[in-house]
Amino acid sequence: SYLDQMYPGAFLAEEGVAYVSVGGDAVFGRQQPKGEEDDDDEKSGSQEANDVYKVRGEGSSPAVAYTAYDAVSGDGERTGDGVVPLDWALLDGSRKIVLDGVVHSINEAGTTLPTDKWYGAEGVVDRWLVDALEEAGVGAKASNDDSPLTQMFASFIGGN
């Protein structure tokens, strides 16, 4: 693609720009013939979402993920967050954080079913935010400076 050709990977890393990429590894995309049940429990989404997909004729979380991954990458048989393939979320040259069991959105993909397994959920943010801020040079582990961003970080984690 144009972006990969003109600005590959962590393009500005040599100029001091820190890169962090975070990707969820929750659903493996699989095509599913009409009427066939998905009996693979690993990376197959929640039962509630699968029930909704079945009623709507979409099959299962893996079938919905397959469609999404295929639309994005041309290959639906891969793992990801249910919307974006994992390998497409991880920028070459960046600090890569892979979150097992994390899905793309506040709702199960394509539904109104809320989930606490998305990137912004309280328990999930705790799994990536400190590392991302550290990579950016912000926070107690990364810096002793008194910048506004460091102060804000400290207030979130109960410091200063």
Side-chain angles (χ1 to χ4, degrees):
S1 75
Y2 174 81
L3 190 59
D4 284 334
Q5 290 175 7
M6 298 302 294
Y7 308 100
F11 186 73
L12 297 173
E14 290 181 11
E15 295 182 34
V17 175
Y19 290 82
V20 177
S21 51
V22 180
D25 187 5
V27 183
F28 189 88
R30 284 186 294 279
Q31 278 189 312
Q32 183 176 338
K34 289 266 189 224
E36 192 173 296
E37 296 279 330
D38 190 337
D39 58 358
D40 184 4
D41 287 340
E42 189 168 337
K43 295 186 185 180
S44 62
S46 74
Q47 186 59 53
E48 296 82 10
N50 286 325
D51 290 345
V52 168
Y53 298 136
K54 185 176 179 182
V55 167
R56 294 191 324 204
E58 295 169 293
S60 65
S61 292
V64 171
Y66 178 93
T67 301
Y69 302 160
D70 188 54
V72 170
S73 70
D75 178 9
E77 290 194 5
R78 53 193 342 152
T79 192
D81 65 12
V83 176
V84 177
L86 178 60
D87 57 329
W88 279 58
L90 304 175
L91 182 68
D92 287 339
S94 70
R95 180 171 181 176
K96 298 173 183 172
I97 302 171
V98 176
L99 302 172
D100 291 331
V102 172
V103 297
H104 187 81
S105 178
I106 193 168
N107 293 327
E108 295 279 354
T111 76
T112 57
L113 298 171
T115 180
D116 61 357
K117 300 180 303 180
W118 72 291
Y119 298 105
E122 187 173 337
V124 176
V125 168
D126 294 343
R127 293 169 50 192
W128 63 263
L129 181 59
V130 172
D131 290 336
L133 290 173
E134 180 183 323
E135 187 70 21
V138 178
K141 292 196 295 188
S143 173
N144 289 329
D145 72 28
D146 216 14
S147 72
L149 201 53
T150 298
Q151 290 175 14
M152 180 181 73
F153 173 73
S155 72
F156 285 128
I157 62 168
N160 301 20

mmCIF file of all heavy atoms in Angstrom, residues 45-67:
data_model
loop_
_atom_site.group_PDB
_atom_site.id
_atom_site.type_symbol
_atom_site.label_atom_id
_atom_site.label_comp_id
_atom_site.label_asym_id
_atom_site.label_seq_id
_atom_site.Cartn_x
_atom_site.Cartn_y
_atom_site.Cartn_z
ATOM 1 N N GLY A 45 -15.437 -16.586 20.503
ATOM 2 C CA GLY A 45 -16.371 -15.558 20.942
ATOM 3 C C GLY A 45 -17.267 -16.013 22.074
ATOM 4 O O GLY A 45 -17.260 -17.169 22.479
ATOM 5 N N SER A 46 -18.053 -15.064 22.559
ATOM 6 C CA SER A 46 -18.949 -15.362 23.681
ATOM 7 C C SER A 46 -20.176 -16.121 23.204
ATOM 8 O O SER A 46 -20.603 -15.982 22.050
ATOM 9 C CB SER A 46 -19.382 -14.069 24.370
ATOM 10 O OG SER A 46 -20.322 -13.374 23.576
ATOM 11 N N GLN A 47 -20.752 -16.890 24.091
ATOM 12 C CA GLN A 47 -21.966 -17.640 23.759
ATOM 13 C C GLN A 47 -23.109 -16.689 23.417
ATOM 14 O O GLN A 47 -23.883 -16.946 22.491
ATOM 15 C CB GLN A 47 -22.364 -18.566 24.913
ATOM 16 C CG GLN A 47 -23.534 -19.470 24.575
ATOM 17 C CD GLN A 47 -23.250 -20.372 23.381
ATOM 18 O OE1 GLN A 47 -22.256 -21.075 23.353
ATOM 19 N NE2 GLN A 47 -24.121 -20.345 22.386
ATOM 20 N N GLU A 48 -23.199 -15.567 24.147
ATOM 21 C CA GLU A 48 -24.276 -14.597 23.892
ATOM 22 C C GLU A 48 -24.177 -14.032 22.476
ATOM 23 O O GLU A 48 -25.186 -13.944 21.763
ATOM 24 C CB GLU A 48 -24.224 -13.453 24.919
ATOM 25 C CG GLU A 48 -24.483 -13.878 26.342
ATOM 26 C CD GLU A 48 -23.252 -14.458 27.043
ATOM 27 O OE1 GLU A 48 -22.127 -14.371 26.506
ATOM 28 O OE2 GLU A 48 -23.417 -15.018 28.134
ATOM 29 N N ALA A 49 -22.983 -13.648 22.061
ATOM 30 C CA ALA A 49 -22.807 -13.113 20.706
ATOM 31 C C ALA A 49 -23.094 -14.189 19.671
ATOM 32 O O ALA A 49 -23.768 -13.925 18.667
ATOM 33 C CB ALA A 49 -21.393 -12.572 20.531
ATOM 34 N N ASN A 50 -22.621 -15.403 19.918
ATOM 35 C CA ASN A 50 -22.872 -16.489 18.972
ATOM 36 C C ASN A 50 -24.363 -16.768 18.836
ATOM 37 O O ASN A 50 -24.839 -17.070 17.734
ATOM 38 C CB ASN A 50 -22.110 -17.745 19.386
ATOM 39 C CG ASN A 50 -20.623 -17.615 19.106
ATOM 40 O OD1 ASN A 50 -20.229 -17.004 18.120
ATOM 41 N ND2 ASN A 50 -19.808 -18.174 19.974
ATOM 42 N N ASP A 51 -25.109 -16.651 19.929
ATOM 43 C CA ASP A 51 -26.567 -16.830 19.858
ATOM 44 C C ASP A 51 -27.212 -15.766 18.965
ATOM 45 O O ASP A 51 -28.096 -16.070 18.162
ATOM 46 C CB ASP A 51 -27.185 -16.779 21.263
ATOM 47 C CG ASP A 51 -26.841 -17.993 22.109
ATOM 48 O OD1 ASP A 51 -26.366 -19.012 21.553
ATOM 49 O OD2 ASP A 51 -27.027 -17.911 23.349
ATOM 50 N N VAL A 52 -26.760 -14.511 19.092
ATOM 51 C CA VAL A 52 -27.291 -13.424 18.261
ATOM 52 C C VAL A 52 -26.956 -13.683 16.797
ATOM 53 O O VAL A 52 -27.817 -13.569 15.918
ATOM 54 C CB VAL A 52 -26.735 -12.055 18.712
ATOM 55 C CG1 VAL A 52 -27.051 -10.962 17.689
ATOM 56 C CG2 VAL A 52 -27.280 -11.674 20.081
ATOM 57 N N TYR A 53 -25.714 -14.026 16.512
ATOM 58 C CA TYR A 53 -25.308 -14.281 15.125
ATOM 59 C C TYR A 53 -26.098 -15.432 14.519
ATOM 60 O O TYR A 53 -26.479 -15.389 13.346
ATOM 61 C CB TYR A 53 -23.812 -14.584 15.027
ATOM 62 C CG TYR A 53 -22.920 -13.448 15.474
ATOM 63 C CD1 TYR A 53 -21.822 -13.684 16.279
ATOM 64 C CD2 TYR A 53 -23.166 -12.135 15.088
ATOM 65 C CE1 TYR A 53 -20.991 -12.653 16.680
ATOM 66 C CE2 TYR A 53 -22.349 -11.094 15.492
ATOM 67 C CZ TYR A 53 -21.262 -11.360 16.290
ATOM 68 O OH TYR A 53 -20.450 -10.341 16.681
ATOM 69 N N LYS A 54 -26.346 -16.459 15.314
ATOM 70 C CA LYS A 54 -27.096 -17.615 14.820
ATOM 71 C C LYS A 54 -28.521 -17.208 14.444
ATOM 72 O O LYS A 54 -29.017 -17.559 13.365
ATOM 73 C CB LYS A 54 -27.115 -18.717 15.884
ATOM 74 C CG LYS A 54 -27.771 -19.984 15.422
ATOM 75 C CD LYS A 54 -27.684 -21.063 16.482
ATOM 76 C CE LYS A 54 -28.362 -22.332 16.035
ATOM 77 N NZ LYS A 54 -28.334 -23.370 17.072
ATOM 78 N N VAL A 55 -29.183 -16.438 15.314
ATOM 79 C CA VAL A 55 -30.554 -15.984 15.049
ATOM 80 C C VAL A 55 -30.598 -15.121 13.790
ATOM 81 O O VAL A 55 -31.529 -15.211 12.999
ATOM 82 C CB VAL A 55 -31.123 -15.209 16.273
ATOM 83 C CG1 VAL A 55 -32.392 -14.464 15.915
ATOM 84 C CG2 VAL A 55 -31.363 -16.155 17.439
ATOM 85 N N ARG A 56 -29.583 -14.285 13.596
ATOM 86 C CA ARG A 56 -29.556 -13.390 12.433
ATOM 87 C C ARG A 56 -29.068 -14.082 11.168
ATOM 88 O O ARG A 56 -28.990 -13.465 10.110
ATOM 89 C CB ARG A 56 -28.656 -12.186 12.720
ATOM 90 C CG ARG A 56 -29.220 -11.307 13.806
ATOM 91 C CD ARG A 56 -28.550 -9.977 13.962
ATOM 92 N NE ARG A 56 -27.117 -9.938 13.756
ATOM 93 C CZ ARG A 56 -26.329 -9.004 14.280
ATOM 94 N NH1 ARG A 56 -26.833 -8.059 15.038
ATOM 95 N NH2 ARG A 56 -25.035 -9.018 14.038
ATOM 96 N N GLY A 57 -28.671 -15.356 11.275
ATOM 97 C CA GLY A 57 -28.208 -16.091 10.105
ATOM 98 C C GLY A 57 -26.754 -15.841 9.753
ATOM 99 O O GLY A 57 -26.312 -16.171 8.655
ATOM 100 N N GLU A 58 -25.988 -15.271 10.695
ATOM 101 C CA GLU A 58 -24.577 -14.986 10.437
ATOM 102 C C GLU A 58 -23.663 -16.085 10.956
ATOM 103 O O GLU A 58 -22.462 -16.044 10.732
ATOM 104 C CB GLU A 58 -24.186 -13.654 11.077
ATOM 105 C CG GLU A 58 -24.910 -12.485 10.455
ATOM 106 C CD GLU A 58 -24.737 -11.222 11.254
ATOM 107 O OE1 GLU A 58 -25.250 -11.158 12.384
ATOM 108 O OE2 GLU A 58 -24.074 -10.295 10.743
ATOM 109 N N GLY A 59 -24.216 -17.049 11.664
ATOM 110 C CA GLY A 59 -23.449 -18.197 12.129
ATOM 111 C C GLY A 59 -22.865 -18.047 13.507
ATOM 112 O O GLY A 59 -23.453 -18.474 14.482
ATOM 113 N N SER A 60 -21.689 -17.406 13.593
ATOM 114 C CA SER A 60 -20.955 -17.373 14.856
ATOM 115 C C SER A 60 -19.944 -16.226 14.841
ATOM 116 O O SER A 60 -19.700 -15.609 13.810
ATOM 117 C CB SER A 60 -20.204 -18.688 15.049
ATOM 118 O OG SER A 60 -19.213 -18.810 14.036
ATOM 119 N N SER A 61 -19.331 -15.977 15.995
ATOM 120 C CA SER A 61 -18.267 -14.965 16.076
ATOM 121 C C SER A 61 -17.137 -15.260 15.085
ATOM 122 O O SER A 61 -16.665 -14.341 14.403
ATOM 123 C CB SER A 61 -17.715 -14.883 17.501
ATOM 124 O OG SER A 61 -18.685 -14.364 18.370
ATOM 125 N N PRO A 62 -16.677 -16.521 14.982
ATOM 126 C CA PRO A 62 -15.628 -16.797 13.996
ATOM 127 C C PRO A 62 -16.055 -16.496 12.554
ATOM 128 O O PRO A 62 -15.240 -16.025 11.756
ATOM 129 C CB PRO A 62 -15.335 -18.284 14.188
ATOM 130 C CG PRO A 62 -15.652 -18.531 15.627
ATOM 131 C CD PRO A 62 -16.876 -17.674 15.870
ATOM 132 N N ALA A 63 -17.325 -16.741 12.225
ATOM 133 C CA ALA A 63 -17.808 -16.458 10.872
ATOM 134 C C ALA A 63 -17.871 -14.950 10.620
ATOM 135 O O ALA A 63 -17.490 -14.470 9.545
ATOM 136 C CB ALA A 63 -19.181 -17.085 10.650
ATOM 137 N N VAL A 64 -18.318 -14.189 11.619
ATOM 138 C CA VAL A 64 -18.370 -12.731 11.493
ATOM 139 C C VAL A 64 -16.949 -12.170 11.413
ATOM 140 O O VAL A 64 -16.659 -11.284 10.604
ATOM 141 C CB VAL A 64 -19.161 -12.110 12.664
ATOM 142 C CG1 VAL A 64 -19.044 -10.596 12.682
ATOM 143 C CG2 VAL A 64 -20.630 -12.534 12.578
ATOM 144 N N ALA A 65 -16.049 -12.699 12.234
ATOM 145 C CA ALA A 65 -14.647 -12.266 12.195
ATOM 146 C C ALA A 65 -14.020 -12.587 10.843
ATOM 147 O O ALA A 65 -13.266 -11.768 10.295
ATOM 148 C CB ALA A 65 -13.855 -12.924 13.325
ATOM 149 N N TYR A 66 -14.317 -13.754 10.300
ATOM 150 C CA TYR A 66 -13.791 -14.140 8.990
ATOM 151 C C TYR A 66 -14.165 -13.073 7.957
ATOM 152 O O TYR A 66 -13.315 -12.622 7.175
ATOM 153 C CB TYR A 66 -14.340 -15.502 8.558
ATOM 154 C CG TYR A 66 -13.863 -15.907 7.183
ATOM 155 C CD1 TYR A 66 -12.718 -16.690 7.036
ATOM 156 C CD2 TYR A 66 -14.532 -15.494 6.037
ATOM 157 C CE1 TYR A 66 -12.254 -17.049 5.779
ATOM 158 C CE2 TYR A 66 -14.081 -15.839 4.782
ATOM 159 C CZ TYR A 66 -12.946 -16.616 4.656
ATOM 160 O OH TYR A 66 -12.487 -16.956 3.403
ATOM 161 N N THR A 67 -15.432 -12.659 7.953
ATOM 162 C CA THR A 67 -15.897 -11.649 7.001
ATOM 163 C C THR A 67 -15.144 -10.337 7.196
ATOM 164 O O THR A 67 -14.715 -9.705 6.224
ATOM 165 C CB THR A 67 -17.413 -11.433 7.157
ATOM 166 O OG1 THR A 67 -18.082 -12.673 6.921
ATOM 167 C CG2 THR A 67 -17.935 -10.383 6.197
#
